[in-house]
Amino acid sequence: MTDPMTDETAPVTEGAMMRATPVRHLAPWLVGLAVMVPLPWVAFNDYQRYLLDLILINVILAVGLNIVKGFAGQVTVGHVALMAIGAYTSAVLTTKFGAPFWFALPGAMLMTAVAGAIVGIPSFRLEGAYLALATLGLAESVRIFISATDYLGASVGYSDIPPPSLFGMPLNSFRSYYFVVMPLAVAGVYFSFCMLRSNIGRAFKALREDPLAAAASGINVRKYKSLAFIVSALYAGCAGSLAAHMSPGFLHPNSYTLVEMVTVLLMVVLGGIGHVWGGIIGAIIVTIIYDLTREYYQYQLLIFGLVIVLTVMFMPTGIGGIIDRYLVNRGFAAIRKARKDAA
Amino acid sequence: MLLEISGFSKHFGGLAAVSNVDLNLEEGEIRGIIGPNGSGKSTLFNLISGVYQPEPGGTMFFDGENVTGLQPHEIARRGIARTFQMLRIFAQMTVLENLLVGHHCHTHYGTPSAIVGRKAVWEEERRVRSEMMDLLAFIGLADYARMPAGELSGGQRRLLALGRAMAMRPKLLMLDEPAAGLSPVNVDKLLDTVMALKERYGLTVIIIEHILKVVMDTCDVVSVLEHGEKIAEGPPAAIKDDHRVIEAYLGKEMDDAEVRAYLRSS
Ligand SMILES: Nc1ncnc2c1ncn2[C@@H]1O[C@H](COP(=O)(O)OP(=O)(O)O)[C@@H](O)[C@H]1O
Ligand SMILES: [Mg+2]
């Protein structure tokens, strides 16, 4: 008998799931990219192009939140504050320091990653609702700090944030901005996909389900909690910076309230906690609904909150989870039937 | 000596769950730990695996290295794998993923490579998955690889807990009541699997077990705990006839005939 621990020629059964060559590994992503290129021309008007950009920014945000909340199971309510830090950092870097967008974006992401690491510290000791409260406190203080700081436009807002420019051409239309946002969104989704399919994703899921069993399996729980917070903060910083430089180049602290937080949470919960595609599905659906119901601003929090509660109660794994379960069930229908017959 | 523990103690409030316990294991040994409910067996495992820190005065050497006071993941990395009395399998992850989590420490690729999805990463993933499939086949769960672990039956969960520990490629395997709640046939099957794994990988094993017969049949040396103290240690045959042990285990005095009857029946 060969040794399963060392034998490399063992038949690849489950392993066949992993794509075998670089071409097959990257092909779906390149196809996806190609499909997305003509979308701004498919859109009928500027409003739809604006919505398209917004959806993609929210996809980045939600995919990031799904990493820390969905996969690593850390109940953070501070994500929009991280987005705010990214947005304002990017705005300050371009307007006050004259940095081009292409430097401001990574700068904002770096700044947000540091903030994310700080937001993650309470998670070493707190769980669930307590962690939610701690992160909410941090988030609100960021928003209040912005509202009270004249340098950041205080409650008047921060205006005249320049659009990115490429070879001297400002990318200020929603169509041209799409080609800044879209590749970043695709790359972000790709990176999250790779990460969550690797041992990092499994470590996140393990510490979500049972930190003690994860540690006993050799997983450094603090390291992976921090990693989840930092990586998701990088996404939030990227989304924040993109939101800042999108026309009309205006930021206001009211864009980072509890309503926005609940909205982002809803994207992840509805799309499917801990499901790689969940954040994307959720971001698309929720952004559209959010924008269509803008007129009923006063009811949004109520409705979105209700939908979260209902989803958690009746569809805890979200849309992605239902798809997952369908696929799994299909695979195991035979075994279950045999069991039922035996019983 | 593979494992040298001296003076391990742990109190919960005023209760001495483990007090001043020494434990020395030779490489390749199968050690049984018995004792009545609440005698500190699981607490001792928690001390060894780093879940609890031993109180001052306790030391632990593993493979010649002082590992006293290390974190659970650091202990695990050094080759000590354990199962939990309540199993603690990852119910929402698939059976295969549970094993892959166990394999975590042996990953070669780094975090940045994983994030950008380098070729080396998915080649290694592919290889490791097939290794874990072989391990699943060995413990008899290959058909369930892609099923959520929460859907397994009780006996299968026990096998999975064992498999996850084995995926860590440990030098020392610690099993906390691995056969609890199994039917006699399944107990034998599980023990056969443990023995097969031990032979195959040259493991050292510690088994906490409630079913006396299991300990007596499988272990080289048995340590007996009562009220957190180690009251006896020796080969099963000697332990079997030690009146202190039998009394501690059964919680009352018995005459010889009663004791023999009990040992036969259990
Ligand atoms: N986390 C804990 N907090 C308080 N008391 C505990 C804890 N864990 C175990 N104990 C107590 O310590 C004693 C030993 O428990 P344990 O090690 O689980 O025994 P065993 O595994 O031998 O049945 C018991 O009296 C138990 O109630
Ligand atoms: Mg116990």
Side-chain angles (χ1 to χ4, degrees):
Chain A
M1 224 187 212
T2 54
D3 183 340
M5 296 305 201
T6 53
D7 184 8
E8 301 198 4
T9 61
V12 181
T13 41
E14 179 67 21
M17 277 173 55
M18 297 298 291
R19 296 195 171 82
T21 66
V23 175
R24 289 182 62 191
H25 176 70
L26 284 173
W29 298 96
L30 297 175
V31 170
L33 207 62
V35 168
M36 294 193 69
V37 165
L39 282 187
W41 286 276
V42 175
F44 287 116
N45 51 36
D46 233 25
Y47 170 72
Q48 287 189 355
R49 279 185 281 272
Y50 151 80
L51 207 55
L52 205 56
D53 291 356
L54 196 63
I55 286 173
L56 288 174
I57 291 173
N58 283 339
V59 163
I60 296 174
L61 190 64
V63 164
L65 183 60
N66 202 14
I67 290 168
V68 68
K69 168 109 179 51
F71 277 82
Q74 304 301 303
V75 191
T76 167
V77 194
H79 217 62
V80 285
L82 293 176
M83 190 185 183
I85 289 171
Y88 278 88
T89 305
S90 204
V92 167
L93 284 177
T94 46
T95 57
K96 311 249 195 229
F97 295 93
F101 166 81
W102 310 105
F103 282 98
L105 172 73
M109 288 171 68
L110 209 66
M111 184 77 169
T112 318
V114 173
I118 294 168
V119 175
I121 290 172
S123 77
F124 293 166
R125 303 201 145 266
L126 303 177
E127 277 185 4
Y130 300 102
L131 180 58
L133 272 180
T135 53
L136 179 66
L138 281 170
E140 278 295 279
S141 50
V142 167
R143 190 176 63 83
I144 291 165
F145 173 79
I146 294 170
S147 320
T149 307
D150 289 334
Y151 186 75
L152 299 174
S155 49
V156 179
Y158 199 117
S159 43
D160 300 324
I161 304 164
S165 57
L166 199 60
F167 307 118
M169 272 196 339
L171 307 174
N172 50 6
S173 72
F174 290 123
R175 178 179 295 156
S176 55
Y177 200 60
Y178 175 85
F179 291 98
V180 178
V181 179
M182 188 271 285
L184 285 169
V186 173
V189 172
Y190 168 79
F191 291 144
S192 92
F193 198 84
C194 290
M195 180 172 66
L196 296 173
R197 283 292 168 102
S198 76
N199 77 327
I200 302 173
R202 292 190 295 268
F204 287 164
K205 285 200 272 183
L207 69 90
R208 173 188 71 194
E209 275 204 53
D210 192 331
L212 182 55
S217 304
I219 290 169
N220 183 343
V221 171
R222 285 191 175 190
K223 173 183 155 188
Y224 281 94
K225 275 185 181 172
S226 300
L227 185 66
F229 274 98
I230 290 170
V231 172
S232 85
L234 284 169
Y235 281 81
C238 178
S241 171
L242 288 171
H245 296 277
M246 185 159 103
S247 160
F250 175 72
L251 291 176
H252 194 277
N254 278 1
S255 313
Y256 306 98
T257 63
L258 201 57
V259 184
E260 279 69 27
M261 188 60 226
V262 170
T263 311
V264 187
L265 265 183
L266 181 61
M267 294 176 195
V268 175
V269 171
L270 188 69
I273 291 263
H275 189 278
V276 182
W277 296 104
I280 302 162
I281 303 170
I284 296 170
I285 298 175
V286 175
T287 308
I288 293 173
I289 296 176
Y290 179 81
D291 223 72
L292 291 178
T293 57
R294 243 178 221 288
E295 288 175 41
Y296 312 102
Y297 180 83
Q298 66 272 38
Y299 303 118
Q300 272 180 335
L301 184 60
L302 187 67
I303 294 170
F304 285 4
L306 258 176
V307 176
I308 288 189
V309 171
L310 291 177
T311 312
V312 169
M313 282 174 71
F314 299 107
M315 203 171 66
T317 50
I319 296 171
I322 288 176
I323 298 172
D324 258 2
R325 197 156 56 227
Y326 169 75
L327 294 176
V328 169
N329 277 344
R330 223 178 34 175
F332 287 99
I335 291 179
R336 286 223 188 76
K337 188 168 175 301
R339 247 193 218 168
K340 221 189 238 160
D341 292 347
Chain B
M1 277 310 160
L2 183 66
L3 183 71
E4 290 171 84
I5 287 171
S6 81
F8 261 18
S9 300
K10 175 76 192 173
H11 285 75
F12 293 112
L15 175 84
V18 168
S19 58
N20 204 19
V21 168
D22 299 344
L23 201 70
N24 295 300
L25 259 80
E26 296 285 356
E27 204 159 338
E29 176 182 337
I30 301 190
R31 171 67 58 99
I33 295 183
I34 63 171
N37 252 330
S39 58
K41 305 183 296 294
S42 296
T43 305
L44 181 61
F45 264 27
N46 284 334
L47 285 168
I48 297 173
S49 58
V51 175
Y52 299 139
Q53 299 296 312
E55 281 156 21
T59 57
M60 168 163 143
F61 283 78
F62 183 68
D63 225 0
E65 184 192 0
N66 187 349
V67 293
T68 316
L70 293 188
Q71 295 289 309
H73 69 270
E74 295 169 319
I75 300 269
R77 268 166 195 266
R78 282 165 175 74
I80 301 184
R82 67 167 295 183
T83 64
F84 292 88
Q85 196 169 349
M86 294 306 172
L87 301 183
R88 290 175 169 267
I89 57 171
F90 302 114
Q92 292 169 35
M93 300 171 80
T94 67
V95 169
L96 178 64
E97 280 179 312
N98 269 267
L99 260 64
L100 289 167
V101 170
H103 186 270
H104 180 88
C105 292
H106 300 287
T107 311
H108 294 294
Y109 57 76
T111 302
S113 309
I115 292 178
V116 301
R118 286 186 46 195
K119 187 162 173 250
V121 174
W122 27 279
E123 279 176 353
E124 185 176 330
E125 280 287 309
R126 206 160 81 112
R127 198 187 70 235
V128 171
R129 275 163 192 262
S130 94
E131 282 173 20
M132 292 302 117
M133 280 307 292
D134 286 348
L135 182 55
L136 275 181
F138 193 80
I139 60 173
L141 288 178
D143 289 345
Y144 302 90
R146 293 180 68 184
M147 190 183 247
E151 299 196 19
L152 295 180
S153 71
Q156 289 169 335
R157 283 165 191 245
R158 297 206 161 262
L159 283 171
L160 178 58
L162 178 64
R164 185 178 68 188
M166 280 310 300
M168 296 166 68
R169 299 181 193 162
K171 292 183 196 134
L172 173 63
L173 177 65
M174 310 203 298
L175 306 171
D176 195 344
E177 305 207 14
L182 294 182
S183 68
V185 179
N186 284 331
V187 170
D188 286 343
K189 261 199 218 159
L190 189 99
L191 285 176
D192 287 346
T193 310
V194 172
M195 295 308 284
L197 289 168
K198 177 198 179 300
E199 288 310 316
R200 194 171 203 188
Y201 301 112
L203 294 174
T204 307
V205 185
I206 312 182
I207 305 184
I208 290 180
E209 190 45 79
H210 224 73
I211 308 168
L212 273 178
K213 184 174 173 295
V214 168
V215 180
M216 298 303 168
D217 290 353
T218 21
C219 299
D220 303 318
V221 182
V222 178
S223 306
V224 188
L225 291 186
E226 190 200 10
H227 298 309
E229 284 174 49
K230 192 169 82 179
I231 57 166
E233 191 166 83
I239 291 294
K240 210 165 168 168
D241 295 329
D242 188 324
H243 255 257
R244 276 184 67 194
V245 173
I246 294 158
E247 281 165 23
Y249 208 67
L250 300 177
K252 60 173 176 164
E253 299 203 10
M254 294 177 126
D255 64 36
D256 279 0
E258 269 183 300
V259 165
R260 296 230 170 72
Y262 175 81
L263 288 175
R264 265 200 306 277
S265 69
S266 57

